[in-house]
Amino acid sequence: QVQLVESGGGLVQAGGSLRLSCAASGRTFSSYAMGWFRQAPGKEREFVAGISWSSSNTNYADSVKGRFTISRDNAKNTVYLQMNSLKPEDTAVYYCAADSKGYYSRSYYYRKVREADFDSWGQGTQVTVSS
């Protein structure tokens, strides 16, 4: 498994921006698809965005399309989530996740993304958007 550490969370006003980072350990990071999930208080963890190992394919939840951008730098073993036009409903703990077994890569285009598609998780970073 790969170890993941998120950073970049914080408090921001509605309409503002934040960029989350997720640093990964291990030499095989560049071969994994990566994803971001979030969990708001009292709600289940939900998929936010995913990116293929080569960055050629990205995938977003409808709720964040046009506002969030996922990217990665394989040379730095880091995946990013740029979040613009933030809304109070974006408030959540954000987690990055790695798909080392290929489950997400082989399925995201025909069914809903699942937590179980990813096998390594970070500890999460809090994002709070005030109105």
Side-chain angles (χ1 to χ4, degrees):
Q1 287 188 337
V2 62
Q3 293 186 336
L4 305 170
V5 179
E6 302 96 335
S7 62
L11 174 65
V12 64
Q13 289 187 333
S17 299
L18 281 175
R19 189 176 83 154
L20 305 183
S21 300
C22 173
S25 65
R27 294 173 294 176
T28 53
F29 168 81
S30 60
S31 65
Y32 300 159
M34 298 292 295
W36 285 96
F37 285 72
R38 67 186 181 186
Q39 187 168 23
K43 295 187 177 181
E44 295 186 349
R45 190 152 53 182
E46 64 175 358
F47 172 75
V48 174
I51 187 167
S52 62
W53 67 271
S54 64
S55 301
S56 60
N57 291 300
T58 57
N59 181 34
Y60 297 93
D62 289 342
S63 59
V64 307
K65 278 182 182 176
R67 301 187 298 122
F68 291 10
T69 303
I70 188 171
S71 62
R72 66 190 296 163
D73 185 337
N74 287 343
K76 296 182 178 179
N77 276 17
T78 302
V79 62
Y80 304 97
L81 186 67
Q82 177 66 44
M83 305 185 295
N84 298 329
S85 302
L86 282 162
K87 305 175 181 179
E89 51 263 44
D90 294 318
T91 295
V93 178
Y94 284 71
Y95 300 88
C96 73
D99 169 31
S100 67
K101 298 180 181 178
Y103 295 152
Y104 164 80
S105 298
R106 293 194 292 267
S107 64
Y108 76 91
Y109 51 90
Y110 71 87
R111 64 158 172 79
K112 184 178 180 180
V113 178
R114 304 166 183 165
E115 286 188 57
D117 293 337
F118 296 83
D119 50 277
S120 295
W121 294 82
Q123 83 290 348
T125 186
Q126 176 71 46
V127 171
T128 303
V129 184
S130 63
S131 57

